[in-house]
Amino acid sequence: MKIGIAADHGGFDLKQIVVEMIKAEGYDVIDYGAHEYDKYDDYPDLIIPLAEGISKGEVQKGIAICGSGVGASIVANKVKNVRAALITETYSAHQGVEHDALNVICLGGRVIGQELAREIVFAFLNAEYTGEERHDRRLGKVNQLEDNWN
Ligand code: RB5
């Protein structure tokens, strides 16, 4: 599975740590930037390329980091086929995948420490969508909204 990651200046330090963590576990990672710390960068410029990577199937799961995780979550969800959520604990990190086919987690680089980030990231990466009928039905309703939106 290929993993995409992106962060603005608010998430830059945590991104560098998470990239090393997931590479150490053997994941193939595409880092969509920022590739250097720039206190003037804007989260949409970094998070949209990651979200498009998910949408096109270039990467299967994504990790989007800004200062709070809020901006990253808002912008990632504007891109078709992206199901992103701001995650602060491990239950939602795996249950979001199992029930809701969550494909992007958003983290707050100024909010969580690296050990909690590690647990959240691996809970997310190790989880699989269950495909149960009730979840498919709900996902179908979400997809219908996305398909019909003008
Ligand atoms: C950047 O200073 C900060 O506003 C941004 O990273 C993020 O927290 C937005 O949600």
Side-chain angles (χ1 to χ4, degrees):
M1 184 187 354
K2 232 178 214 178
I3 310 302
I5 190 165
D8 73 349
H9 59 282
F12 184 79
D13 290 345
L14 184 59
K15 175 173 75 68
Q16 304 309 95
I17 292 166
V18 171
V19 166
E20 292 314 312
M21 267 177 205
I22 57 181
K23 278 187 177 168
E25 290 300 318
Y27 286 97
D28 199 358
V29 181
I30 298 184
D31 184 345
Y32 291 89
H35 298 294
E36 57 190 40
Y37 180 82
D38 171 4
K39 71 177 178 184
Y40 297 112
D41 66 13
D42 297 329
Y43 66 83
D45 297 333
L46 288 313
I47 306 303
I48 291 170
L50 163 63
E52 289 174 340
I54 290 280
S55 195
K56 291 184 282 195
E58 194 170 83
V59 289
Q60 285 67 55
K61 285 186 180 176
I63 302 165
I65 314 177
C66 64
S68 62
V70 172
S73 158
I74 289 171
V75 73
N77 277 309
K78 301 290 182 193
V79 177
K80 190 172 167 65
N81 303 323
V82 171
R83 293 173 295 277
L86 171 55
I87 300 292
T88 59
E89 35 69 39
T90 56
Y91 175 77
S92 305
H94 67 84
Q95 194 257 17
V97 177
E98 291 156 359
H99 289 200
D100 309 318
L102 176 72
N103 53 16
V104 175
I105 51 165
C106 304
L107 303 175
R110 297 174 181 157
V111 180
I112 59 168
Q114 71 179 74
E115 288 311 314
L116 178 56
R118 172 193 297 280
E119 292 190 17
I120 288 172
V121 164
F122 288 114
F124 169 64
L125 296 181
N126 291 329
E128 287 177 21
Y129 178 59
T130 66
E132 286 169 89
E133 192 280 330
R134 69 187 194 283
H135 301 315
D136 267 351
R137 184 178 70 240
R138 293 162 190 162
L139 196 54
K141 292 178 183 183
V142 174
N143 290 340
Q144 201 173 25
L145 175 71
E146 188 173 73
D147 290 343
N148 295 338
W149 196 258
N150 293 309

